[in-house]
Structures are given as structure tokens and as C-alpha cells.
Amino acid sequence: MELDQKHPLAQELNHRPKVTVLGLESSCDETAAAIVEVSASGEITIRSDCIFSQTEQHAPFGGVVPEIAARAHADIMDGMVKQALTEAGLELADMDGIAATTGPGLIGGVLVGMMTAKALSLGSGLPFLSINHLEGHALSPQLAAPLAFPYLLLLVSGGHTQLLAIEDLGRYHRYGSTIDDAAGEAFDKTAKIMELGFPGGPAVEKIARTGDKTRFDLPRPLAKRVGCDFSFAGLKSAVQRHWHSLKAPTEQDKADLAASFQHAACDILVGQSKKAMRRFISEFGATHLVVAGGVAANQAIRSQLQELARNNGFGFLAPPLRYCTDNGAMIALAGALRLQRGMVSSLRVAARPRWPLDELSAKNNPASGSGKKGPKS
Ligand code: KG4
Ligand code: ZN
């Protein structure tokens, strides 16, 4: 990451009693701005947390449309910044730094947040903090409850499925990630196949409650292989095959297929998390298993992970959904923690559609392939 060590405030800020940072998020379909304060002793205060979700704009298309997302972010990002300052009762001059997600994500959206933050930074002279969206997720559980490093994170959203050892700020070790679809994507596609609407996760979970999870035999890819990577593409295709084999599917057929799919998705997530816990214990000892990302809203997944943690002597933390899904507070928090350590970014930083959190692991073992733009996860 390109740092600006010469920024006049870079060294001075780590001696302040607290730092206050504005964080912007626009890498997918949520436009968010938030202000977070971190005291010298590590106490975190969320001063404001504003989010606008574009779900309604994408719903007719059954998924996020990048061009629509970018335009929608551009339309309202300035208003979100104003709202975040107003709700916090603060002015731009009260900030110590401006943070924004600069990747990975849909590039049009990422550019909106990044350029807004750079412009605010240039105009005000405040340090700019370039934040990896995945670092935001990795730190986000700390917004909900005091949580010491290190901990094991299962990040399960519409864009990512990863197991990460969060050792310290900036020290992340990827134990596994998806080699194809993300878990949330599999929920969304399953919902699309059965015409349950978008976003699919909540719809699948709802209908699955009345279904028989043992009726359809669905695959658990990579379960028997060494390592903690995930694969959901084969599961989605199997759902599709079963769906097409049903002549005139009834509501009960839908419920049974949704329940069988959710059961398989749960097994995959729990199975690979179990392997990751073994490795984590050998490297760091048993601490906390933390789950974040939109799929963490799923009650079946939550309760099975909780049981897994309990059985292995881990604490379990599933933050409220507000902090699990995309938000500005996690970006502001990452910015504040970096600022306290003098890790100010250069304004030359470029937006990155792909940006693995653990670049070394991704380079040496690209779970989801590499190519010109670099490893995907
Ligand atoms: O973290 P998130 O809001 O956005 C990103 O992808 O970054 O996650 C959204 C994903 C969607 O795929 C949605 O279907 C899934 O989280 N999701 C769920 C549930 N609620 C949301 N998946 C399973 N069960 C749920 N209850
Ligand atoms: Zn996210």
C-alpha cells in the first residue's frame, strides 16, 4: 500500500487523545458515510452511521448492475457526507482524516467514494486513508463489541467468502476463500432459479423454514479436500438441475429445495470453518470465531457456527447485521486505527477492482485464479 510518511500530520496524530475519521463506502450497492472516533486507549465511538441501500434499483434485474450502482453512488455521495457530519454534530474541520474504500469492488462505485475522499482531503489538508474493503469487514466486529486481536473471521457476503486469521491491524492471513461464487451469490442465484426475488438470502431462509432439508441430495464441494477453500458453483448448478426436473413445482417443492440448499451451504461453511479453527488453534490458540457479511444474518448458519465455536473452546461473535453488511463505520474505523499508527495514504493511490487482503497468500495460492488484474481474492 502506498503510504505518505511525509504528511505533516502522519507522525503527530498517534499522540492525540482521540482521532475522528470520516469513512466513505461505495464498492457495491450501499452508499455510506460515517464518523468514528477512537481514543488513545482503543475505545471506539460511532458518532454517525449513514447508509443508503440501492436494493430497490437493482431488484428488477435480479442482481447488482454496476453502471446503475456507480451512477446512484455519484448522485448521493455528497449528500451522505453532509448527513454524516450533521448527525454527528460535527464539521469537516473537526475530522482528523478522511477514509474511503479504494477496492476491491465494482470500479465505478469505488471511484466515486475514493474521489470524494481525495477531494475532501485536498481541500481540507486532512490526511487521506485508502482502505481495503475487506479490512473494513475484518475490523467491523469491533464496532459491536470490544474484541481483542487475534481472532478468526468467516466473511460471508454477496461478494466474498473467506476465512481469515486477523492477527493485528494490517496482519491478515487468508486460510481459505471461494474458488468460484460467493456464498451470498449462491443464495441469490438459488432464489433467482426459484423466482423468489432479490436479494435472495432472506427469501431462501424464509421459505426454507417450512421445507424438508433432507429431500434433495446436494453436493458439498471441496469438503473432503485438504485446505479451507470454498466452492458454491456446483451447488447452484445442482439446485438448477433439481428445479428443472420438477414438472409443476409446488410451494412445498420450493420449500424443500430451499431447505436442502441451505442445509448444504451451512455444511460447507461449518466444515471449512472447522478446518480453519484447527489451523488457527495451532498458530494462535483458541480465541474468538467471528462471522461477518450479509449471509451472517442467516439464523441456521449463525447457530451452527455458534455450536462449532462452543465445541472447540472458542468464543463466538456475530455482530448485529448493521455492522455485518457494507457500512461506512467499518471504513472510518479502519481509517482511524491506521491514522493512530501514522499510516497515512498517498493521494496517488489508484482504485483497485481486485485487491486481496493477504496479497502474499493470494499470489502464492490464487484460489480463484489470477490474470492481468491480479488474484481475485
Ligand atoms: O454483505 P452484504 O450486504 O453485501 C455484500 O455482498 O458485500 O451481503 C449481501 C448478501 C446477499 O447475497 C444476500 O442474499 C445475503 O447477503 N443475505 C443472506 C441473508 N441475508 C442477506 N443470505 C442468507 N441468509 C440471509 N438471511
Ligand atoms: Zn462487503
Side-chain angles (χ1 to χ4, degrees):
M1 168 165 334
E2 209 172 339
L3 294 180
D4 181 5
Q5 302 293 8
K6 292 202 197 84
H7 193 286
L9 293 175
Q11 297 311 320
E12 184 251 320
L13 273 158
N14 47 8
H15 301 301
R16 292 203 181 166
K18 67 171 167 55
V19 292
T20 309
V21 169
L22 168 69
L24 310 185
E25 162 57 39
S26 55
S27 64
C28 191
D29 59 345
E30 261 98 30
T31 317
I35 296 171
V36 168
E37 254 171 37
V38 180
S39 73
S41 60
E43 202 179 311
I44 296 163
T45 311
I46 301 168
R47 295 291 305 259
S48 63
D49 185 13
C50 306
I51 304 180
F52 178 80
S53 175
Q54 305 170 357
T55 306
E56 269 180 30
Q57 279 150 286
H58 300 291
F61 304 95
V64 178
V65 183
E67 181 66 22
I68 293 176
R71 285 166 187 254
H73 288 305
D75 280 347
I76 65 162
M77 185 51 101
D78 54 344
M80 294 303 282
V81 169
K82 202 166 170 200
Q83 194 184 335
L85 289 166
T86 307
E87 284 187 16
L90 295 169
E91 300 190 359
L92 194 58
D94 299 317
M95 299 300 111
D96 294 305
I98 314 287
T101 294
T102 56
L106 300 174
I107 198 69
V110 172
L111 282 167
V112 171
M114 185 185 81
M115 292 315 294
T116 306
K118 282 187 179 178
L120 288 170
S121 162
L122 258 180
S124 63
L126 291 167
F128 166 63
L129 300 134
S130 152
I131 306 298
N132 182 316
H133 178 78
L134 298 171
E135 175 168 75
H137 276 301
L139 302 173
S140 66
Q142 301 181 31
L143 292 166
L147 178 68
F149 296 115
Y151 50 89
L152 179 64
L153 175 76
L154 172 64
L155 173 59
V156 269
S157 71
H160 315 284
T161 301
Q162 307 206 350
L163 277 156
L164 292 157
I166 311 298
E167 187 182 2
D168 197 354
L169 179 70
R171 293 171 72 94
Y172 312 112
H173 311 280
R174 194 197 66 184
Y175 283 4
S177 58
T178 183
I179 60 169
D180 40 54
D181 294 347
E185 226 174 327
F187 271 91
D188 292 337
K189 286 179 180 168
T190 295
K192 202 169 180 177
I193 291 166
M194 296 197 280
E195 292 170 8
L196 298 176
F198 173 82
V204 170
E205 181 174 20
K206 188 165 173 227
I207 194 167
R209 284 195 201 112
T210 52
D212 171 6
K213 66 180 184 181
T214 61
R215 176 167 161 204
F216 295 96
D217 186 22
L218 296 171
R220 273 85 169 144
L222 307 186
K224 298 212 170 80
R225 293 239 202 112
V226 181
C228 313
D229 287 334
F230 300 91
S231 168
F232 288 97
L235 174 56
K236 172 203 67 192
S237 306
V239 167
Q240 197 158 29
R241 273 196 307 279
H242 281 293
W243 178 249
H244 290 310
S245 72
L246 295 164
K247 292 278 156 346
T250 62
E251 281 304 298
Q252 193 56 50
D253 290 331
K254 271 190 189 179
D256 291 347
L257 191 50
S260 302
F261 161 78
Q262 184 173 277
H263 184 40
C266 252
D267 278 356
I268 295 170
L269 293 173
V270 171
Q272 302 306 72
S273 300
K274 191 173 177 181
K275 290 191 212 164
M277 283 168 96
R278 268 189 233 126
R279 178 168 163 195
F280 188 90
I281 289 174
S282 73
E283 291 174 12
F284 301 100
T287 59
H288 271 85
L289 172 65
V290 180
V291 60
V295 182
N298 188 288
Q299 280 308 327
I301 294 173
R302 261 171 126 95
S303 60
Q304 288 196 32
L305 287 170
Q306 184 162 23
E307 197 182 321
L308 175 72
R310 199 176 39 231
N311 291 343
N312 287 277
F314 274 65
F316 180 70
L317 180 63
L321 201 59
R322 183 168 185 80
Y323 304 124
C324 283
T325 56
D326 288 353
N327 63 82
M330 68 184 191
I331 304 304
L333 172 65
L337 296 177
R338 286 188 163 267
L339 196 53
Q340 279 183 323
R341 301 193 190 192
M343 296 157 87
V344 170
S345 308
S346 157
L347 284 172
R348 287 193 303 273
V349 163
R352 294 177 63 173
R354 295 180 182 191
W355 183 6
L357 195 50
D358 178 354
E359 304 217 36
L360 197 63
S361 290
K363 200 163 152 238
N364 294 341
N365 175 24
S368 48
S370 47
K372 254 200 292 189
K373 292 184 200 158
K376 203 174 163 192
S377 53

